[in-house]
Amino acid sequence: MSIVTEILKKIKEYDVITIHGHIRPDGDCYGCQFGLKNIIKTSFPEKEVYVVGEVCNYVTWLGEPDVIDDEKFKGALSICVDCANEERLSDQRFKLADYVIKIDHHIPVTQYGNMQYVLEEKPACAQIIFEIYDEHKDELKITREGAIALYTGILTDTGRFRYDSVEPATFIAAAKLLALGVDIVDIDNKLSVESLDVLKYKGYILSNFCMTPEGFAYVVVKQDVINSYGISMEDAANQVNLLSTIPGYPVWALIIEYPAEIRIRLRSRGPNVDTLANQYGGGGHAKAAGAKLESWDQLDTFIKDASLVAKEYNEAIK
């Protein structure tokens, strides 16, 4: 029996299902949660299905998390999506559930849950969710709203189909979702509209980023800067790819001071950076990862390490 068949067996077995995502959810995480909820609820209307965790302000039009008490988790199935390690799950009450399934596309950090279905080669977890549906659409159903959620997840986590992780199956999934009623113009308009405050903040990044001789570009954003523009932490962090187009700088990062920690959004268009992220308490994809600093005293060391990764890559392609 395949693992997907096992997942469907578990979904059929439980009357209450909770769907979890990671802290600070992005479009893919949110799209997975609401897309999967739509598939399960449409296919099995008698089941109670809940999305739990944090709100993603970037794509709030996909839905809002449910507020449920601890009792709902007892004897329930919890499905955790788009999260490599259990510490980053935004609602830790999955530990109260009777059975836990992990569905993800990141390089594994911890093997939490009773069942893991991880496809690292997939560019978006939403594509995995769609392929589960598509493979078993003789017994599963989805509505237009569910298709919109999954398409949004794929679109955002592939950089609108620009990243090298995109595969032929990605476009096949997108085409099939369009056939289910997805309005690509409407979604693009929603994702493209930005407030004047965010535009001004982009100007700050472009005026204050730094570059090392080895090929690493970065910008440090303190809490007072974010507050001065009146934007959310999510909007602040989403601008990491503003530094992606500089020739000779294959590695870049946005280093942001959060109220309780210092987070690094690390990106690459050449060398793998997940190993570097692992050294700083993070992880993710080979060319898109997250990390953190224990204090600002680590910043210089991180810059040197990231610069070395960029240098080695630049020397290798000469």
Side-chain angles (χ1 to χ4, degrees):
M1 184 180 295
S2 73
I3 189 167
V4 172
T5 302
E6 288 282 356
I7 290 172
L8 292 183
K9 181 181 177 182
K10 287 297 179 182
I11 289 173
K12 293 174 183 177
E13 181 179 338
Y14 286 87
D15 295 326
V16 179
I17 300 170
T18 63
I19 304 173
H20 300 246
H22 55 73
I23 58 174
R24 295 183 293 276
D26 55 12
D28 187 28
C29 177
Y30 224 55
C32 284
Q33 287 182 278
F34 285 97
L36 181 57
K37 176 181 179 179
N38 182 274
I39 291 170
I40 298 173
K41 191 64 181 175
T42 305
S43 304
F44 311 103
E46 72 283 358
K47 295 184 183 296
E48 295 182 46
V49 188
Y50 303 101
V51 165
V52 296
E54 300 175 8
V55 173
C56 178
N57 293 319
Y58 184 48
V59 289
T60 50
W61 36 273
L62 292 181
E64 293 185 5
D66 299 297
V67 179
I68 58 176
D69 58 36
D70 294 355
E71 289 298 315
K72 287 291 184 184
F73 290 86
K74 296 177 181 179
L77 168 66
S78 285
I79 304 177
C80 305
V81 299
D82 197 42
C83 191
N85 55 308
E86 61 182 313
E87 292 80 11
R88 292 195 71 239
L89 288 164
S90 62
D91 192 326
Q92 290 286 313
R93 291 180 296 171
F94 73 93
K95 296 174 182 177
L96 302 175
D98 182 64
Y99 198 89
V100 178
I101 297 173
K102 171 187 178 182
I103 302 176
D104 191 27
H105 70 132
H106 296 92
I107 297 170
V109 177
T110 57
Q111 294 292 351
Y112 63 88
N114 304 97
M115 185 188 302
Q116 299 86 32
Y117 185 48
V118 180
L119 301 177
E120 296 175 35
E121 70 276 11
K122 296 297 179 180
C125 192
Q127 182 178 324
I128 298 174
I129 300 297
F130 171 78
E131 289 174 350
I132 290 173
Y133 155 78
D134 196 47
E135 183 181 337
H136 293 270
K137 59 186 176 184
D138 57 324
E139 55 183 327
L140 295 178
K141 300 176 183 178
I142 190 172
T143 70
R144 178 174 177 271
E145 287 69 29
I148 288 171
L150 294 181
Y151 180 85
T152 301
I154 294 171
L155 186 69
T156 53
D157 231 35
T158 60
R160 306 195 187 193
F161 306 107
R162 294 197 308 263
Y163 298 157
D164 61 5
S165 57
V166 171
E167 57 181 357
T170 309
F171 290 105
I172 292 172
K176 290 183 176 181
L177 288 166
L178 260 64
L180 290 168
V182 171
D183 185 337
I184 61 173
V185 175
D186 180 61
I187 292 176
D188 184 72
N189 286 340
K190 287 176 177 175
L191 294 175
S192 299
V193 171
E194 294 178 318
S195 70
L196 183 58
D197 291 331
V198 171
L199 289 175
K200 290 179 178 178
Y201 170 69
K202 284 185 172 183
Y204 173 86
I205 292 177
L206 294 174
S207 300
N208 291 275
F209 71 89
C210 302
M211 305 162 68
T212 69
E214 295 83 5
F216 175 54
Y218 66 94
V219 61
V220 174
V221 182
K222 296 289 186 74
Q223 189 69 54
D224 59 342
V225 171
I226 296 171
N227 293 339
S228 71
Y229 286 97
I231 62 174
S232 67
M233 298 302 299
E234 184 179 350
D235 281 335
N238 280 343
Q239 312 311 319
V240 58
N241 283 326
L242 283 178
L243 305 181
S244 65
T245 60
I246 307 170
Y249 287 78
V251 181
W252 63 95
L254 196 55
I255 304 165
I256 301 182
E257 181 181 48
Y258 282 79
E261 61 183 348
I262 303 167
R263 300 292 305 180
I264 302 170
R265 300 202 74 187
L266 184 61
R267 299 291 185 267
S268 163
R269 62 170 183 275
N272 292 347
V273 293
D274 58 296
T275 302
L276 175 60
N278 292 340
Q279 294 172 15
Y280 287 86
H285 301 293
K287 297 176 183 176
K292 62 182 178 180
L293 301 178
E294 296 300 327
S295 72
W296 288 114
D297 293 337
Q298 282 189 300
L299 179 60
D300 287 344
T301 302
F302 174 77
I303 292 171
K304 290 178 182 177
D305 290 341
S307 297
L308 179 60
V309 173
K311 178 183 179 181
E312 291 176 346
Y313 176 78
N314 281 334
E315 290 178 346
I317 62 172
K318 282 183 178 178

